[in-house]
Amino acid sequence: MMDYGLLTIGVALLLISYLVGVKKQTWLLAGFNEKMIKDKSLLGTITGLLFFLPLGVLGIVNSLFDYAHEGTIFVAVMLVLLTVVYLLINRKLLK
């Protein structure tokens, strides 16, 4: 059975991915010090296309298909993506 709530969240994440990753709307990202970031365009690309895009696609896939441990897998993928994005931002973008 399709989970419409998760589908809505997945589509919203894809929209945020587009706005941040492609349109470079970094004001949508909360919790970072703008003065510490060297390249806001690269920040948008990294967070939009490496975090929000795969998470949105996974949300949509999880809403369409039921499989064992889908919640655990979703959280694990989210934590891995968050860690990768955090490391990339700290190594490449902080002044």
Side-chain angles (χ1 to χ4, degrees):
M1 173 163 266
M2 182 181 276
D3 184 352
Y4 291 105
L6 194 54
L7 179 65
T8 303
I9 291 170
V11 171
L13 287 170
L14 290 181
L15 177 63
I16 291 171
S17 170
Y18 173 74
L19 291 173
V20 172
V22 177
K23 293 294 186 178
K24 308 301 182 208
Q25 301 292 318
T26 57
W27 61 270
L28 290 168
L29 302 173
F32 74 94
N33 186 350
E34 289 187 35
K35 296 174 188 159
M36 297 293 292
I37 300 295
K38 289 188 265 188
D39 186 354
K40 288 183 192 168
S41 176
L42 187 57
L43 174 69
T45 301
I46 288 173
T47 56
L49 301 180
L50 288 179
F51 181 70
F52 289 116
L53 180 64
L55 207 55
V57 169
L58 185 60
I60 291 171
V61 167
N62 278 348
S63 74
L64 299 174
F65 303 105
D66 286 331
Y67 55 91
H69 309 292
E70 66 181 62
T72 305
I73 291 170
F74 190 78
V75 171
V77 168
M78 182 173 51
L79 290 174
V80 168
L81 290 172
L82 189 60
T83 302
V84 168
V85 167
Y86 176 79
L87 291 173
L88 282 172
I89 289 172
N90 279 317
R91 290 181 185 241
K92 294 190 180 281
L93 295 177
L94 291 182
K95 291 181 182 178

